[in-house]
Amino acid sequence: MKKLIYGFLAATALLFSCTDFESYNSIPMEEGPAMAITLDAAADSSFTVTFAPAAAASYYSFFIEASDEVKEYSASNILKCVYKDKGVAKTVNYKDDQSYTLKMAAMPNTAYQIYAVAASEQGMVGKVAQFSVTTTDGLRPSPLTFKAGASSVAVTFSEKLQRGEGKVYATVYAINALNEEPVEFEMPDSTIVIKGADVTFTTPEVHAGANVCITWDEGAFTDLKGNLSGAFTNKGYDAATKKFKGISYRMATETIGLVSASDTITYYTDWENLEMTFFSKATLVKVGDNCKIQLRYNEEGRSTLIDLKYRQHFGFADDTTLIVGLPEEPDFNVSIDVIIAEKSFQDKYGNETKGLTLDGKYIRFLESTGIEGVYHASAKSYFANRGSFDWDIIVKRDADDPKKVWVSNLEPYFLSGGVSAPRGNYFYGMLNADETQIVLPAAQRVGYGDVVVFGFSKADPDDPDAMMNVDMIMDVQENGWLNMPNAWGAFEGDGFYNLFYGDITFIKTSNSVPAAISAKAVRYKIDTRPLQLAPKK
């Protein structure tokens, strides 16, 4: 043990006298007591130091900082612990402890400067005692603590580091798929940043929500003296603690969007076979703890909210698709809202879904009681720039011929803001014997100009076998809806007014015909002029 005692003891008496004026006697003032600093031999990560005033004192203080050079510090500021933000500082009451021993946690191969000062019982501050010590560096650098971020982890080692030749690895786990083989890859040096004893590992390309464990080979790092770091291999999921082992962190999560599989309203009559389909671009593998799906049956004047049960009323069709069924039969003319709560489902990395509410997306209409009524049409235009049309047609029996019907608005106007199907747009058709089919003769003139309508023999007008200017066929389905299997359109002058692809279903929405509609009020005419298929507009 080396003991160094720094102190200055002096007593000086000064006497001043003035011959012309009254004389004064000065009181001799002593300096504060000297400080003794006793230091044990330094180790790699610590040293022990003892502080003791050389004489009786009121208080004494010390200040220790990591620095290669000795600095000038104010004795009174050291006594007041002004420099505590720069290192380790403490003030000791001499009456409680005549000496104070500190085991200093230190970094290997680092110089430390030690300062100490004492104040006498009269408050006089002594001189600053100073001593320097440099720790040894014979041990391997090792990780002490780590702090996880959103896409990185910062690890603090036992000493300052530099990059070695050993490899560093990231192993990626999916918390909802721990039975899968985790993905391991070598981390490039560009993802490893060393600042002193702190090392930051960044994995920005890893999937959101994934858990990452960092490991490395022996010698991946060295201290400033060349001592190799040991291998760090602790990783994986601990089922007992439900945490990941070793140096681990989780990537920032993302929310997963659910969308309806259909962009249009879904109409139905058979409630037991109705499947509401929702899907996500992400894989869905788990029902969340907060999973909740509700259906709201909306009838005129009242609504009923129903909670659904997993596996009984909804479940996964595949890893991106969710199927929801009706738990009980609704009345006719009921629209259904679907309400899926936030965090209802998770992907394999634990990312949770957003909430989704669809108002009136699923609508049940009344059972058909005959051919007459209103039907909802949704047809795709042959002309790509026109998209799809949604409108209503009306079917009414002729007052004089029970096998004849009138179809209103089969060919709607095309407008820039949508479609318009005004009254006066009528076509006649004939029912077959069992009323399972309506045949509308081709080349009937539309009631709003020099436009005639006709059908094709195929659903796609571009089919090489498709013939044009043929009769239009409407098949009456068992549920009372109508289907147009082949394409149909309207011809105006030297080109098409509009043209629709076939295989279109007209969904019945009402068994009654609006009172203002009168099929007898409109005459019809067959136009036998030849038609030619014009280029797409």
Side-chain angles (χ1 to χ4, degrees):
M1 180 180 291
K2 181 187 298 183
K3 183 173 182 181
L4 301 177
I5 301 178
Y6 294 82
F8 298 89
L9 299 175
T12 305
L14 299 176
L15 179 62
F16 298 89
S17 61
C18 300
T19 55
D20 296 331
F21 302 97
E22 184 177 356
S23 297
Y24 294 90
N25 293 325
S26 64
I27 300 174
M29 301 295 291
E30 293 183 352
E31 293 181 344
M35 283 295 299
I37 301 175
T38 303
L39 182 72
D40 282 342
D44 268 30
S45 58
S46 68
F47 58 84
T48 301
V49 59
T50 300
F51 303 93
S58 56
Y59 294 93
Y60 59 98
S61 299
F62 61 85
F63 163 54
I64 304 172
E65 70 169 341
S67 176
D68 292 328
E69 60 177 315
V70 179
K71 302 174 185 177
E72 293 287 338
Y73 285 116
S74 164
S76 60
N77 284 344
I78 293 175
L79 190 67
K80 298 173 185 177
C81 288
V82 170
Y83 307 117
K84 61 184 178 180
D85 293 336
K86 294 177 174 289
V88 176
K90 184 177 179 62
T91 297
V92 182
N93 189 328
Y94 183 80
K95 292 181 179 179
D96 297 331
D97 296 293
Q98 279 72 53
S99 66
Y100 186 87
T101 298
L102 170 70
K103 186 173 183 179
M104 176 73 178
M107 296 291 290
N109 193 37
T110 304
Y112 290 87
Q113 307 302 328
I114 305 171
Y115 306 89
V117 67
S120 67
E121 293 176 336
Q122 291 77 28
M124 298 300 294
V125 180
K127 298 287 187 180
V128 176
Q130 188 277 327
F131 188 69
S132 299
V133 59
T134 299
T135 54
T136 58
D137 192 8
L139 300 178
R140 289 187 172 198
S142 59
L144 299 178
T145 61
F146 70 90
K147 184 177 182 180
S151 61
S152 64
V153 61
V155 181
T156 298
F157 279 74
S158 58
E159 56 183 302
K160 296 178 181 178
L161 296 178
Q162 54 193 359
R163 185 72 169 93
E165 296 182 357
K167 296 179 180 179
V168 179
Y169 308 93
T171 306
V172 181
Y173 297 85
I175 187 63
N176 289 330
L178 293 173
N179 57 323
E180 295 182 1
E181 189 69 24
V183 177
E184 181 178 278
F185 60 89
E186 181 182 344
M187 295 187 65
D189 284 346
S190 60
T191 64
I192 304 169
V193 177
I194 301 174
K195 289 186 178 180
D198 295 324
V199 184
T200 300
F201 304 90
T202 304
T203 52
E205 300 302 322
V206 173
H207 196 286
N211 288 90
V212 182
C213 291
I214 301 296
T215 56
W216 56 80
D217 294 336
E218 181 181 21
F221 307 98
T222 73
D223 62 20
L224 302 186
K225 290 293 186 179
N227 296 311
L228 303 181
S229 63
F232 186 85
T233 59
N234 192 21
K235 66 177 180 179
Y237 182 72
D238 189 333
T241 63
K242 295 184 179 180
K243 295 181 180 179
F244 284 88
K245 304 173 187 177
I247 298 170
S248 64
Y249 60 100
R250 189 183 185 193
M251 300 293 291
T253 58
E254 64 182 8
T255 52
I256 304 169
L258 282 174
V259 297
S260 172
S262 174
D263 294 330
T264 59
I265 292 176
T266 299
Y267 305 94
Y268 67 99
T269 56
D270 185 359
W271 73 275
E272 291 181 302
N273 291 320
L274 174 67
E275 290 186 345
M276 306 176 185
T277 305
F278 306 90
F279 67 92
S280 168
K281 291 182 179 180
T283 58
L284 301 176
V285 300
K286 182 180 178 181
V287 175
D289 296 335
N290 299 311
C291 179
K292 188 173 187 179
I293 297 182
Q294 296 175 303
L295 300 182
R296 183 187 293 117
Y297 287 7
N298 301 302
E299 303 173 68
E300 187 175 353
R302 69 188 182 95
S303 295
T304 303
L305 196 62
I306 305 170
D307 291 332
L308 305 188
K309 295 181 180 180
Y310 177 51
R311 290 194 176 94
Q312 183 175 345
H313 304 134
F314 67 90
F316 297 114
D318 53 46
D319 60 2
T320 62
T321 308
L322 175 70
I323 298 294
V324 178
L326 299 187
E328 57 187 59
E329 182 177 9
D331 292 334
F332 286 109
N333 289 321
V334 166
S335 69
I336 297 177
D337 304 334
V338 183
I339 307 166
I340 303 177
E342 291 183 355
K343 302 180 180 181
S344 285
F345 305 97
Q346 296 179 5
D347 68 3
K348 69 178 184 178
Y349 297 100
N351 297 300
E352 297 175 310
T353 53
K354 298 177 183 178
L356 177 66
T357 299
L358 297 176
D359 292 331
K361 176 67 184 297
Y362 296 89
I363 301 176
R364 187 179 190 194
F365 288 111
L366 72 171
E367 291 178 304
S368 178
T369 58
I371 196 69
E372 287 192 327
V374 180
Y375 298 78
H376 182 76
S378 180
K380 181 181 178 183
S381 176
Y382 174 80
F383 303 105
N385 63 334
R386 295 186 178 181
S388 297
F389 288 69
D390 282 276
W391 77 103
D392 291 334
I393 68 169
I394 300 169
V395 178
K396 182 174 176 63
R397 288 184 182 272
D398 187 87
D400 299 325
D401 186 346
K403 289 299 182 182
K404 180 186 288 186
V405 295
W406 294 90
V407 179
S408 173
N409 304 333
L410 182 61
E411 179 66 27
Y413 280 121
F414 169 71
L415 301 175
S416 60
V419 297
S420 174
R423 296 168 187 169
N425 176 353
Y426 291 96
F427 309 92
Y428 88 93
M430 300 302 296
L431 285 162
N432 62 358
D434 57 4
E435 298 192 353
T436 59
Q437 192 175 76
I438 303 172
V439 179
L440 296 97
Q444 296 187 55
R445 187 178 299 280
V446 179
Y448 51 82
D450 189 23
V451 179
V452 294
V453 295
F454 59 91
F456 284 77
S457 61
K458 299 287 183 180
D460 184 352
D462 288 332
D463 191 315
D465 296 328
M467 294 184 294
M468 62 181 294
N469 199 18
V470 299
D471 292 344
M472 295 163 284
I473 305 297
M474 281 186 168
D475 292 320
V476 182
Q477 299 178 341
E478 289 185 3
N479 61 3
W481 296 357
L482 305 176
N483 179 265
M484 291 273 284
N486 298 335
W488 84 98
F491 192 86
E492 179 184 27
D494 60 353
F496 277 93
Y497 177 78
N498 209 340
L499 180 60
F500 295 106
Y501 285 102
D503 194 23
I504 301 300
T505 298
F506 297 85
I507 300 167
K508 194 167 190 183
T509 62
S510 174
N511 280 322
S512 60
V513 176
I517 298 297
S518 174
K520 294 290 289 183
V522 179
R523 294 181 179 180
Y524 65 91
K525 176 182 178 182
I526 301 294
D527 192 325
T528 58
R529 292 178 300 173
L531 302 173
Q532 298 296 323
L533 187 61
K536 292 184 181 181
K537 296 181 180 180

